[in-house]
Amino acid sequence: MSLTTAQPTDPGPGPGNPRRELRSGSLPRYFPPALLASSAAVIAGVLLAFSSFGFVLWGVLTALAYTVIAVAASTRIEGGRKAKDRLVTALVYLCFTLAMLPLVSVLWTVLGNGLARFDGYFLSVSMNGVLPGMDAGGAYHAIVGTLAITGLATLISVPVGVMTAVYLVEYARGRMKRAIMFFVDVMTGIPSIVAGLFVVALWILLFGPGATNGAAGAISLAVLMIPVVVRSGEEMLRLVPQDLREASYALGVPKWRTITKVVLPTSAAGLTTGIMLAIARVIGETAPLILTAGSSAVSINWHLFDGQMMSLPVFIYSQVRMGGAVNYERAWAAALTLILVVMLLFFLARMIGRLFAPKSR
Amino acid sequence: MTTTDAPTVAPPPKGRRRIGDVVFAGLARGSGLLILVILAGVAAFLIVQAWPSLAANTANFITDRSWDANVRENPAFGVGSLAFGTVLAAAIALLLATPVAIGIALFIVYYAPRRLAALLGYLVDLLAAIPSVVYGLWGIGFLAPQLVPVYEGLARNLGWIPLFAGPASTSARTILTAGIVLAVMILPIITAMSRDVFHQVPQGHREAALAMGATRWEMIRLAVLPFGKSGIVGGAMLGMGRALGETMAVAMILSPSLAISWNLLQSGNQTIAGHIALQYPEATGYGVSALIAAGLVLFAITLVVNMGARYIVARGNKES
């Protein structure tokens, strides 16, 4: 163990008295930020002087310079153990920065490329009658499809998901409970394309080959959405204090009335949050919809059981597959629309969760 | 959970159960059973629809590398090369994402300023909120062009390693690019699982290490990492399950192909999920059935990986 190196009674190999050795040798608190700022500034200056400034290069060199100098200084002044600690600290900060890069980059490129075509016209017209290469057309039919398909998927999965959560928390016990919880977890891991293939297989049996419609897409999304609703619902129902249930039982209220009148209303905010996060998750699903709802619809279709239905994610994909410059512009604008919808759901969910959550004791 | 089993609640008098209770309990139980039915149904319907093509297949389905399935008779197809591409892409993603995800989790739990920690964790969660098709668009429209010079540099300087042998693809639409995008997508999953388990490390363990004079890193190495091992492994496996089944990013970045190649800088590999998405619109004859068979393989692989991950996580929770 290297933990027992500093023993005050041992004079040690170093010069001077042990008290000084204990206190001496630590870099000041302002050292890391000061070093980071100065190395960033110096490297920016050098790069600008050679007129080869690039943000990636700048970031990489700054991180490298900071790490090397900090570890070297720390080894000299503080000793090996502290130096290792500083190295790991630098690496951990670097990891987080590394994770933020793609987030910022995705949002930035989508915003930058999508704004060109993101306007009222794009949001209000479909692709009906738009020939390849024509500078026209929009995503209205895809927005309609996304609303209809996601809406039906929500209608299917919310009752099933919430009731399963009620069953797991209020009724189930023993092996049955453990089995369902385990398989709900497993179900969260089903690849989305497999959920799509499942509905394709089911639809072939029911309606014969080649039947694609919005309802099929909604069912495949529901398969992906149910486990998410169950997991979040389960957590929320567990947060309801046991006292509330007991108070209700003590008044002679039957169990099912207790659940519908006490437990579910108490956890309503949490359940809503979970459901909105689940919607945010499936609204961007693409693969199952390509298989089930088709990828070539161009006109506005509100009818879930009648023919192909476009949706925003599939719209992005099919435009990219066409590959022209106009197609890419449409894809970016649709991506911006989709991200705005998802982010809106995400933030609303967090707001509801924060504002209306039952106060835990 | 024993707190919710409510042992203190008096059962209704025997003999007369209220009708509402019976109906409601039945509905709840039915929903629970429906989950099991759906999962069984996924497996059953895939098998039923995959069977015709598997029975008629003239090639070895597991090892063959061709895909001549869009015919009316004597199809010959196999998932050999696709399975290889799937595992390779997932392995790249896992190798890139796991160390970074552990670093992020450590940062959020132990390094970030207390007040900011929740906000920063939320930012990482935002990575999971971005739809996969947007990642695909970003990968093909932004990342790939940026990576072309990097790949050329890799091929020039590290070309003696077979993985990086040149000449590098001029469009950078290769399995390595797909792996990088997949790594970004699974980052929040691994981070979330690691964070959860790091939060559970008993305060006593950490304080004991610090009291012995350990630095923060030594505290993490001695108290946190041994405790969190199962959570990290489970999280990594969950991330791998996601990477194995991820479709859109791969389908948009890689072009249709059936080659097996260890070369990360050249196009040629394709994954099962990407193959299904790309081939489905053109499938005729035995084609759809064959793609369903490929999906069945994917389903089986991810099922095993996910069950393994859940088992490891559950076992870790029990030990602690």
Side-chain angles (χ1 to χ4, degrees):
Chain A
M1 290 300 246
S2 59
L3 295 183
T4 51
T5 46
Q7 289 176 345
T9 49
D10 182 22
N17 65 32
R19 284 187 60 82
R20 226 188 93 212
E21 200 168 72
L22 257 188
R23 235 182 309 161
S24 73
S26 76
L27 294 166
R29 278 185 69 86
Y30 60 80
F31 175 73
L35 176 62
L36 186 63
S38 52
S39 49
V42 168
I43 285 178
V46 170
L47 285 177
L48 284 174
F50 286 96
S51 64
S52 57
F53 187 84
F55 278 103
V56 177
L57 192 63
W58 180 50
V60 169
L61 287 181
T62 304
L64 206 65
Y66 171 82
T67 313
V68 169
I69 297 175
V71 170
S74 176
T75 313
R76 221 178 128 65
I77 298 171
E78 298 177 321
R81 286 175 53 222
K82 287 268 181 66
K84 206 185 241 176
D85 189 47
R86 290 205 183 265
L87 174 68
V88 174
T89 308
L91 286 179
V92 162
Y93 273 79
L94 188 67
C95 280
F96 184 77
T97 323
L98 216 55
M100 285 303 100
L101 285 182
L103 180 67
V104 172
S105 168
V106 167
L107 296 180
W108 185 252
T109 45
V110 168
L111 205 61
N113 291 317
L115 275 178
R117 218 161 240 280
F118 185 76
D119 48 22
Y121 174 77
F122 180 79
L123 296 179
S124 59
V125 300
S126 74
M127 292 291 288
N128 204 358
V130 177
L131 298 171
M134 238 164 95
D135 187 12
Y140 181 65
H141 61 310
I143 296 171
V144 166
T146 288
L147 286 180
I149 292 174
T150 319
L152 182 60
T154 311
L155 275 183
I156 297 170
S157 19
V158 167
V160 175
V162 172
M163 282 308 276
T164 306
V166 166
Y167 177 67
L168 284 175
V169 175
E170 308 284 340
Y171 290 99
R173 52 194 61 186
R175 276 173 62 184
M176 189 67 185
K177 178 176 178 173
R178 260 178 289 137
I180 292 182
M181 283 173 71
F182 182 75
F183 281 112
V184 167
D185 277 343
V186 169
M187 206 168 156
T188 30
I190 290 185
S192 58
I193 193 144
V194 171
L197 283 176
F198 157 64
V199 176
V200 167
L202 183 66
W203 246 235
I204 291 177
L205 279 184
L206 294 179
F207 306 108
T212 49
N213 54 31
I219 289 178
S220 64
L221 291 191
V223 170
L224 297 169
M225 193 171 164
I226 288 173
V228 185
V229 176
V230 174
R231 285 317 305 250
S232 65
E234 204 192 324
E235 260 169 49
M236 290 308 143
L237 293 181
R238 281 195 205 294
L239 286 181
V240 177
Q242 197 61 26
D243 307 7
L244 288 182
R245 295 191 182 91
E246 282 165 10
S248 172
Y249 292 141
L251 292 171
V253 180
K255 187 165 184 174
W256 75 280
R257 295 292 282 174
T258 305
I259 294 170
T260 50
K261 290 287 174 188
V262 176
V263 178
L264 288 180
T266 312
S267 53
L271 290 176
T272 316
T273 304
I275 290 165
M276 290 179 79
L277 288 179
I279 296 175
R281 194 198 134 174
V282 297
I283 206 168
E285 282 296 350
T286 320
L289 295 183
I290 294 176
L291 305 192
T292 52
S295 55
S296 54
V298 290
S299 56
I300 300 160
N301 177 11
W302 273 105
H303 202 303
L304 278 163
F305 293 93
D306 183 25
Q308 296 208 352
M309 207 170 200
M310 187 46 87
S311 56
L312 270 175
V314 178
F315 182 73
I316 299 173
Y317 173 70
S318 58
Q319 291 297 325
V320 167
R321 294 287 288 164
M322 291 176 196
V326 186
N327 301 114
Y328 264 94
E329 278 179 23
R330 288 197 201 106
W332 283 112
L336 179 59
T337 319
L338 186 60
I339 281 203
L340 285 178
V341 173
V342 172
M343 294 286 161
L344 189 71
L345 282 168
F346 209 69
F347 282 111
L348 275 179
R350 296 286 158 143
M351 292 286 282
I352 291 174
R354 187 155 298 173
L355 291 180
F356 301 104
K359 304 285 173 283
S360 58
R361 297 173 304 157
Chain B
M1 293 288 132
T2 47
T3 49
T4 47
D5 283 347
T8 51
V9 174
K14 274 188 186 149
R16 49 175 286 271
R17 286 196 66 188
R18 294 187 184 88
I19 185 81
D21 263 344
V22 175
V23 171
F24 193 78
L27 279 177
R29 176 187 292 265
S31 303
L33 289 176
L34 189 62
I35 303 267
L36 302 184
V37 170
I38 291 175
L39 206 58
V42 171
F45 284 114
L46 289 183
I47 291 172
V48 166
Q49 288 301 325
W51 188 249
S53 67
L54 285 179
N57 193 2
T58 55
N60 186 330
F61 176 62
I62 301 297
T63 56
D64 197 73
R65 300 180 186 183
S66 59
W67 196 270
D68 301 317
N70 294 329
V71 289
R72 298 254 162 242
E73 46 198 33
N74 293 332
F77 58 92
V79 290
S81 59
L82 300 172
F84 174 83
T86 307
V87 173
L88 183 60
I92 294 172
L94 206 59
L95 272 178
L96 293 175
T98 310
V100 178
I102 296 172
I104 299 169
L106 287 176
F107 174 79
I108 292 171
V109 178
Y110 295 117
Y111 284 84
R114 271 303 105 230
R115 281 167 200 215
L116 283 181
L119 179 73
L120 297 177
Y122 175 61
L123 281 179
V124 176
D125 286 344
L126 270 186
L127 272 178
I130 296 174
S132 59
V133 68
V134 176
Y135 275 119
L137 183 61
W138 174 73
I140 191 175
F142 174 79
L143 186 66
Q146 306 285 321
L147 284 175
V148 170
V150 178
Y151 286 179
E152 279 167 0
L154 269 179
R156 215 178 310 123
N157 299 316
L158 293 174
W160 47 273
I161 304 174
L163 285 179
F164 300 122
S169 157
T170 50
S171 63
R173 292 173 64 175
T174 72
I175 193 90
L176 184 55
T177 311
I180 293 172
V181 175
L182 288 181
V184 174
M185 299 176 74
I186 66 176
L187 208 52
I189 300 175
I190 309 179
T191 306
M193 294 296 288
S194 309
R195 259 171 71 188
D196 280 353
V197 71
F198 289 165
H199 272 303
Q200 289 166 12
V201 176
Q203 196 157 10
H205 291 199
R206 292 189 285 121
E207 284 174 356
L210 290 174
M212 296 289 285
T215 61
R216 192 152 46 172
W217 161 239
E218 284 161 347
M219 179 273 282
I220 287 168
R221 192 166 50 91
L222 294 170
V224 174
L225 291 184
F227 184 91
K229 209 167 48 189
S230 65
I232 296 172
V233 173
M237 282 181 75
L238 282 185
M240 187 166 83
R242 174 88 197 272
L244 287 168
E246 177 50 45
T247 313
M248 292 325 295
V250 177
M252 288 165 85
I253 291 170
L254 300 181
S255 18
S257 164
L258 286 165
I260 289 187
S261 159
W262 278 104
N263 196 318
L264 304 183
L265 302 183
Q266 292 171 353
S267 48
N269 286 308
Q270 182 55 273
T271 72
I272 295 179
H275 181 76
I276 296 172
L278 290 171
Q279 296 293 325
Y280 184 83
E282 284 116 48
T284 55
Y286 279 111
V288 173
S289 175
L291 289 176
I292 291 177
L296 193 62
V297 174
L298 184 63
F299 181 55
I301 296 176
T302 51
L303 206 61
V304 169
V305 170
N306 278 307
M307 284 165 89
R310 295 295 173 187
Y311 176 73
I312 290 172
V313 173
R315 204 186 49 183
N317 281 349
K318 208 172 284 173
E319 274 171 10
S320 58

